Amino acid sequence: MYDVIVVGGGAAGLTAGAYCSRGGLKTLIIEKYPVVGGQMGLTDRIDNFPAVENADAYELSQAMKRQADNAGALIVTDTVNEIKQGNEKLVLCNESDYKAKAVIYAAGAYHRKLGIKGEDIFSGRGVSYCAVCDGGFYRGKTSAVIGGGDTALKEALYLSRICSEVYLIHRRDSFRGAAYLVDNCENTENIHILRSTLCKEITGDKTVNGIVVSDKNGERHLDCSGVFAAVGMIPFTDPLTGLCDTDENGYVIAGEDCVTSAAGIFAAGDVRTKPFRQIVTACADGANAARSAEEYISALL
Ligand code: NAP
């Protein structure tokens, strides 16, 4: 039996694992993908992680992994399907089942879909959720990014360096993302910003050939080869169903101490209710969750 099982090997999970192990707790980190790092794996550079200017995202994630490894945490690749509550938490996975006194749940979030015609049919054939992963397929071609947050703005900037033209399509007049990113997009010649515009349909034959957009002037068709949906994330909380209270968007309700409504189960990172989801705030959650788990386990003795 482990003292702590950390579910998820992203920034929150790896930090929690490192802190727990350094605190002398027997710690297992379960990550469903063979490469840890979570959403750090979806980007190339990270420019706002303290003390690491213009960080290589993969290198940063590997540095976090090394720290957890060196502290003594065991990292396994497995998919968590269910967590059973009790004095001993039972974590049921595809390959094996594991027991622990406490669980730090840091499974992150996944991409929200646009929910429009053509999205599913052309997924992987022109529709993508990650410019860094798939942008190269559209070198010299026209692409469209849908969304108005930091992700959409960063994806548009990334694609502007690869594609001939980039449409950035946002449903409202003002962007949710950072002002400096909006400025950068506005000042990039081959980014064409379409505000107050809805993307209604993705069209194509074998692969995407365009989108149907709608604004106050009506509907029109825009030619493009790639469509990048960047419309936010949905927390991955299926294994916690019925265990922890969640808010109306499905995020696990927990304060900065990461304490949830379920005794001995702590939520860290993007799955937690919080105002600002960043790598640095995920790391902070990992540290706080480890401390809360440590206190919980100490009280069991
Ligand atoms: P987000 O901030 O939730 O923005 C999602 C955007 O998609 C919003 O502009 C939203 O429009 C739009 N949207 C949602 N559903 C839509 C739909 N069905 N059709 C069209 N548009 C839709 O998501 P995010 O950009 O992925 O960012 C998530 C978090 O990660 C944020 O806290 C962000 O700051 C952070 N982040 C930070 C960085 C960084 O480098 N600092 C990079 C990426 C992300 P409305 O605005 O109208 O709601």
Side-chain angles (χ1 to χ4, degrees):
M1 177 154 92
Y2 291 90
D3 291 315
V4 179
I5 290 176
V6 179
V7 180
L14 292 171
T15 308
Y19 268 76
C20 287
S21 299
R22 284 172 62 86
L25 300 175
K26 188 179 173 194
T27 305
L28 174 71
I29 300 173
I30 306 175
E31 163 58 46
K32 68 178 165 187
Y33 296 115
V35 179
V36 296
Q39 290 174 60
M40 285 185 276
L42 301 179
T43 191
D44 60 343
R45 318 289 314 175
I46 292 164
D47 50 18
N48 57 3
F49 193 74
V52 193
E53 271 182 80
N54 194 25
D56 179 302
Y58 177 75
E59 282 305 321
L60 188 64
S61 68
Q62 292 309 298
M64 290 186 194
K65 176 181 183 288
R66 274 195 303 279
Q67 218 165 7
D69 275 339
N70 291 341
L74 176 65
I75 303 176
V76 296
T77 307
D78 209 339
T79 299
V80 175
N81 297 314
E82 195 182 342
I83 298 170
K84 287 193 185 289
Q85 176 62 305
N87 283 343
E88 287 179 1
K89 323 292 177 209
L90 187 58
V91 180
L92 307 174
C93 301
N94 278 356
E95 303 296 327
S96 196
D97 299 336
Y98 307 91
K99 278 183 191 166
K101 293 173 190 165
V103 169
I104 296 176
Y105 191 86
Y110 58 93
H111 296 284
R112 177 181 286 122
K113 287 189 167 189
L114 293 164
I116 58 173
K117 195 172 165 196
E119 181 177 24
D120 285 340
I121 306 166
F122 295 114
S123 185
R125 292 190 291 136
V127 174
S128 168
Y129 300 84
C130 174
V132 175
C133 318
D134 300 328
F137 297 125
Y138 307 100
R139 190 169 295 280
K141 297 178 179 172
T142 301
S143 64
V145 177
I146 322 290
D150 284 334
T151 304
L153 294 161
K154 288 193 86 168
E155 302 248 292
L157 288 165
Y158 181 85
L159 289 168
S160 72
R161 300 191 288 271
I162 298 174
C163 300
S164 55
E165 309 294 329
V166 179
Y167 292 110
L168 172 57
I169 297 159
H170 182 33
R171 64 184 177 184
R172 285 189 301 125
D173 186 39
S174 64
F175 281 90
R176 185 181 290 274
Y180 83 95
L181 291 173
V182 178
D183 284 349
N184 287 353
C185 285
E186 283 173 345
N187 292 323
T188 301
E189 212 171 301
N190 64 341
I191 296 180
H192 310 288
I193 302 178
L194 279 61
R195 292 178 158 84
S196 303
T197 302
L198 289 177
C199 182
K200 309 266 291 196
E201 184 183 343
I202 299 166
T203 62
D205 183 7
K206 284 187 177 136
T207 56
V208 166
N209 64 17
I211 52 177
V212 177
V213 295
S214 150
D215 61 15
K216 62 179 182 350
N217 299 316
E219 283 190 5
R220 65 197 158 117
H221 186 266
L222 298 174
D223 290 345
C224 64
S225 309
V227 177
F228 292 83
V231 292
M233 309 292 288
I234 297 173
F236 182 71
T237 54
D238 290 359
L240 294 181
T241 303
L243 272 185
C244 298
D245 293 344
T246 53
D247 73 1
E248 67 281 7
N249 296 315
Y251 291 95
V252 181
I253 297 173
E256 203 183 345
D257 58 7
C258 300
V259 173
T260 72
S261 59
I265 298 178
F266 305 90
D270 282 7
V271 291
R272 178 173 84 81
T273 46
K274 59 199 283 187
F276 199 32
R277 294 187 173 85
Q278 299 280 296
I279 299 170
V280 68
T281 64
C283 292
D285 275 13
N288 281 316
R291 181 175 179 274
S292 296
E294 219 174 315
E295 280 181 355
Y296 170 80
I297 291 168
S298 299
L300 293 176
L301 300 173

